Amino acid sequence: MKHTMDHAITLGFLLRFTLPSIIMMMVLSLYTFADGMLVSHFVGAEAFSAINVVYPLMSVVVALGTMFGTGTTAIVSRKLGEGDQKGANELFSFVIVVTMGIGAVFGAVTIALLPSLIKLLGANAALYPYCYQYAMPLLCFLPMSILQIQFQSLIVAAGKPQMGLCVTIISGITNMILDYVFMGVFHWGISGAAIATGIGFCIPAVFGLCYFRWNERAAFRLVRPVQNWRQLASAAANGASEMVSYLSESVTTFLFNITMMRLIGQQGVAAVAIVLYVDFMLVAMSLGYAMGVTPLISYNYGKQDADNIRKIFRMSLVLCVIMGVCMTAGTHWLGGGLAALFVSPKDPIYTLAVVGMGYYGFSYLCKGVNLFASALFTAFGNGRVSAFLSFLRTLIFLAGSILVMAALFGVTGVWCAAPVAELMALCVSVSCIVRYRRKYPYSVNYE
């Protein structure tokens, strides 16, 4: 049976194949955006700030799911391209079982240490109750959270991106409806938002388990797991860049929060939260494209189709640049309207957020290309280079820029940290692409 990815590469096919992943990530970001917006309106600005304080903790969960999801996707796609169906099934099944166990253990340990962790993340006396009320219910859904993140990538690898999109839309709509019901009708406060999010996680997680277990026509399936720690480690290493990216984001979010708390207090934390929520929504396009194109590159790499890979590479660079320009323009033209979804234009937080978006928005000119460069090396199974790029971009460059720019230019420096970091990361990404042009078939110089 011909696989969905076994297709001549044209711009139309590339857009059709990656568009469901792009829309899927945008839907995910939109319901996260709606989460924050509804919390801000139903509970208040302090509760909204609390979500941003807790975010570094929850991003560890996202990091684990993304690491195993993207790492397994690249290897499974390559095995399918090589014709190794049995190997794809066994690796996929073993990874799912192990990560469910990791999620359960991590959740139990985090719940036990939660009070201390919230204080460590910088919550003051006013924010602590909101942080606890949000994090505790959400941690109970942790295994499902890890699974749904993995299935976002794996359903694409199975050649069913449209199906993944439909499941994500259903999950997002359910989450937003329950947000309104739990907070606006039942008055459960910020805990209602966490429970709604957790239920939203369960929908793609349960669907993925059922689809891969009982659908005999799936490209790969859940079978009796065969213990293979070497391949598990290989999948984890291959997805390390994505894990590093999310873990680094938790550190940089923490730095954004404590820096703004020091400079201008809780209003600064709320403004940062608005900018980062908008960032998550906008960058979802680039993340979705990277997620969608990775299995396509891996599949053609397994088939040793250098011509297809070169076409994907060139078209991707052009698309990433176009998306970056559009996103930068969007933050300048629509920043005020986006900020007004969270706070009143009369609130000082509104002015802080709009100014922040104006500076922060220039980072999108480079961010899409940087994300694609990292995904490119993940697709080739080179987790070391991919992780190196992610580590530099999301931790070393951004964390360093926050500290240095804040010391030199205060609040304006904080907002400018992201564009400076992305520009430095772009230089490294380009140098790595040039360096490995003879090793991987994306260049005419490939040997």
Side-chain angles (χ1 to χ4, degrees), residues 37 40 108 110 119 127 176 179 193 239 380 402 418:
M37 185 176 67
S40 181
T110 306
K119 292 177 182 177
L127 296 182
M176 287 188 282
D179 268 338
F380 291 133
I402 292 170

Side-chain angles (χ1 to χ4, degrees), residues 335-354:
L338 292 170
L341 294 174
F342 293 90
V343 292
S344 167
K346 297 178 181 179
D347 195 311
I349 296 172
Y350 171 86
T351 304
L352 281 170
V354 173

Side-chain angles (χ1 to χ4, degrees), residues 35 37 69 74 97-98 117 120 209 283 330 347:
D35 246 9
M37 185 176 67
V97 170
V98 170
L117 290 172
L120 187 64
L209 290 171
V283 83
D347 195 311

Side-chain angles (χ1 to χ4, degrees), residues 5 17 73-74 77-78 153 156-158 290-301 379:
M5 291 186 283
F17 189 84
T73 292
S77 297
R78 191 168 69 244
S153 299
V156 176
M291 185 177 75
V293 81
T294 296
L296 194 59
I297 296 172
S298 296
Y299 184 82
N300 283 281
Y301 189 49

